[in-house]
Amino acid sequence: MRAAVVCGLGGSLPPRIVTNDELAQRLDTSDDWIRTRTGIGRRHVVDPGTTTSHLAAEAGLRALKSSGHHTVDLVVLATTTPDRTCPGTAPTVAARMGLTDVPAYDVSAVCSGFVYALQAGAGAIVAGFAERVMVIGAESFSTILAPDDRTTSVIFGDGAGAVILRAGEPDELGALQHFDLGSDGSMADLITIRGGGAEQRSSGSPAKPEDGYFRMDGKSVFFAAVRRMAESSRAVLAKTGWGIEDVDRLVAHQANIRIIHAVAGQLGLPPERALMNIERVGNTSAASIPLALADGFACGSLRAGDRVLLTAFGGGATWGSASLVWPALSSELTLPIENATPLLTAH
């Protein structure tokens, strides 16, 4: 049987850093309040003129360099913040990387988007449609946040992460093992932007200014996220044939440090096995899992042979999990992403 094998990894963060103290200068908050409730100390934010496609292309090129390949047969982009409502952003990303004539499409599952896109990319390889696939999670979330909304402005940041998948064997290091995905549209209002879509445009009423910004019911999201990620994790572990004691690294969506700890607690996993970079980058939505993987590999927390559990919860509501044994990747990615020299020098 064919399997999809992770063979490349890359990430991109915009250079501008916004600290908690900077946010406290314009919002009713403090560094202690933010850290206590979220675990976040800072986040990266795009400068004017920088878009999701810029971040995604940079991460994709880094992943290609890491893989040793120069091209792929398919690009799948997970994002909540496309460059435009129409067309999709993935073709723009492919073009920025010089991958013309390559099929490319977007996946919209908010914070679960990378896991959904990973399954789509793996499915294309297993089905024989592609030999190599680039899967990217990228966000410029700061562009959709209400500037005066303390509950969201302190949480989210911008960035992108990417992996390259190649056709291989199921018993290879890096082979994706199993997936579990789910959704519940009755929870659509928990995480949403109400304006700008067909629902609002067909209502006959003008959009309210606040409907153009991202909104989230934080308390409800917390409980739903912990429940669904824990359930999905158990489901994928059962499919894989792993017990919780077999998991070396939990890489959960970097939503909130309390959510990550709660999921680990629900699973009975020691908290030190959870890989986290949320303190330095915040919640980067669809980019959070690949960015955490890139950081973990760069600092040596992810090693070849580690059994890794990925899990996420996002708007929709959507959720998903995946299992893999970590591969032996190229040492191209040896520094934290913040210190990496950009591969794209002009927009």
Side-chain angles (χ1 to χ4, degrees):
M1 292 180 60
R2 286 164 64 96
V5 178
V6 174
C7 66
L9 176 68
S12 174
L13 291 167
R16 183 186 169 201
I17 294 174
V18 176
T19 65
N20 291 345
D21 288 334
E22 182 177 339
L23 288 176
Q25 293 176 15
R26 63 179 178 84
L27 297 171
D28 180 19
T29 189
S30 67
D31 177 69
D32 181 68
W33 188 93
I34 297 170
R35 287 180 184 273
T36 300
R37 288 158 178 78
T38 69
I40 299 169
R42 66 183 192 179
R43 69 286 298 147
H44 290 251
V45 175
V46 293
D47 290 317
T50 299
T51 67
T52 296
S53 64
H54 294 128
L55 298 175
E58 178 71 27
L61 286 175
R62 288 196 168 282
L64 272 176
K65 185 177 181 181
S66 167
S67 74
H69 298 292
H70 302 290
T71 189
V72 293
D73 305 310
L74 173 65
V75 175
V76 186
L77 171 68
T79 187
T80 319
T81 53
D83 286 3
R84 305 178 186 178
T85 303
C86 174
T89 301
T92 302
V93 173
R96 288 191 185 279
M97 294 185 289
L99 301 176
T100 54
D101 299 326
V102 172
Y105 62 87
D106 293 8
V107 170
S108 179
V110 198
C111 301
S112 303
F114 181 76
V115 178
Y116 269 62
L118 196 65
Q119 193 280 330
I125 288 176
V126 171
F129 176 76
E131 293 300 310
R132 289 189 296 274
V133 177
M134 178 183 294
V135 180
I136 310 172
E139 304 284 12
S140 49
F141 228 83
S142 62
T143 63
I144 62 172
L145 301 177
D148 60 346
D149 185 356
R150 180 180 69 165
T151 62
T152 59
S153 292
V154 303
I155 295 173
F156 292 93
D158 304 335
V163 298
I164 307 297
L165 305 177
R166 63 165 175 82
E169 303 295 326
D171 58 352
E172 287 187 63
L173 291 183
L176 292 165
Q177 302 292 308
H178 291 278
F179 288 87
D180 176 77
L181 302 176
S183 73
D184 183 354
S186 70
M187 294 193 287
D189 286 340
L190 294 187
I191 301 170
T192 189
I193 299 174
R194 295 302 298 266
E199 178 185 71
Q200 178 266 311
R201 292 175 182 272
S202 66
S203 68
S205 301
K208 300 175 183 177
E210 61 267 26
D211 288 344
Y213 292 112
F214 177 86
R215 299 294 181 186
M216 179 175 67
D217 180 346
K219 184 175 181 180
S220 297
V221 167
F222 181 97
F223 291 109
V226 172
R227 173 193 168 198
R228 293 299 189 177
M229 283 198 282
E231 290 176 347
S232 182
S233 294
R234 293 189 190 101
V236 87
L237 289 175
K239 292 178 183 179
T240 309
W242 293 351
I244 195 62
E245 68 279 1
D246 297 317
V247 176
D248 297 305
R249 285 297 181 189
L250 169 68
V251 186
H253 163 52
Q254 305 290 294
N256 178 307
I257 195 169
R258 295 190 299 167
I259 289 178
I260 298 170
H261 284 162
V263 171
Q266 287 276 320
L267 295 173
L269 190 72
E272 60 270 19
R273 295 191 194 177
L275 199 64
M276 289 186 285
N277 66 347
I278 190 170
E279 192 277 335
R280 293 185 293 106
V281 300
N283 179 341
T284 56
S285 190
S288 77
I289 285 179
L291 279 173
L293 292 173
D295 272 338
F297 176 68
C299 72
S301 297
L302 271 178
R303 301 175 182 176
D306 280 351
R307 290 161 293 192
V308 180
L309 169 64
L310 312 179
T311 190
F313 177 89
T318 58
W319 56 86
S321 301
S323 56
L324 75 155
V325 179
W326 193 247
L329 294 177
S330 162
S331 60
E332 287 286 351
L333 188 66
T334 57
L335 293 171
I337 297 165
E338 293 96 323
N339 301 331
T341 302
L343 299 178
L344 292 175
T345 57
H347 293 165

